[in-house]
Amino acid sequence: MKTDGLPDRCFYGFVPSMIATSDLEGTPNVSYLSEIERLPGDRIALSCQFFNKTKRNVLENPRVVLEVYDPVSFEAYRIEARFSHEEAEGPLLDRMPARISALARQVGMQRD
């Protein structure tokens, strides 16, 4: 997976990204993601927002394709990646819900 050369703004969540997965039989599934964070070492973190089929596919078949968009030029970038692990605690997990809530407020989807 290579994310170098992609503008940082592709990872700000202004334009939802897409994730394509498949199960072991090859049945595809595509979902939108509001949160993708670029991490050091050419890694990325994805939010898990109750996409049961997507999560099940990733656990069965760790190969995924992501499409992120530049919110200024609207250029699309495709990232081929492999699922590594899931985190249940720590600074990354603490950051992501706050960013998702902020994005939801911006588009009027935040509950009071």
Side-chain angles (χ1 to χ4, degrees):
M1 172 187 64
K2 293 289 181 194
T3 62
D4 54 329
L6 273 67
D8 285 338
R9 61 185 174 255
C10 292
F11 299 92
Y12 292 166
F14 296 127
V15 179
S17 301
M18 293 174 40
I19 181 170
T21 63
S22 67
D23 62 20
L24 289 176
E25 287 77 40
T27 304
N29 182 64
V30 176
S31 297
Y32 286 99
L33 291 170
S34 60
E35 185 67 21
I36 298 178
E37 185 171 333
R38 188 187 330 222
L39 301 173
D42 207 26
R43 297 179 314 132
I44 54 175
L46 310 176
S47 63
C48 181
Q49 298 167 265
F50 306 107
F51 297 122
N52 294 329
K53 178 67 173 165
T54 301
K55 185 173 182 177
R56 188 169 47 249
N57 284 354
V58 168
L59 293 174
E60 287 181 7
N61 176 7
R63 297 170 70 167
V64 303
V65 175
L66 302 162
E67 194 161 274
V68 298
Y69 302 92
D70 184 327
V72 174
S73 70
F74 297 108
E75 188 170 355
Y77 297 91
R78 189 160 290 161
I79 303 168
E80 293 182 22
R82 179 176 291 276
F83 174 73
S84 167
H85 67 279
E86 183 175 8
E87 294 190 12
E89 60 184 10
L92 177 61
L93 203 64
D94 295 340
R95 270 194 317 270
M96 286 190 129
R99 290 177 55 174
I100 290 170
S101 291
L103 288 169
R105 277 192 302 277
Q106 289 175 349
V107 297
M109 293 179 64
Q110 181 70 27
R111 290 187 196 170
D112 293 325

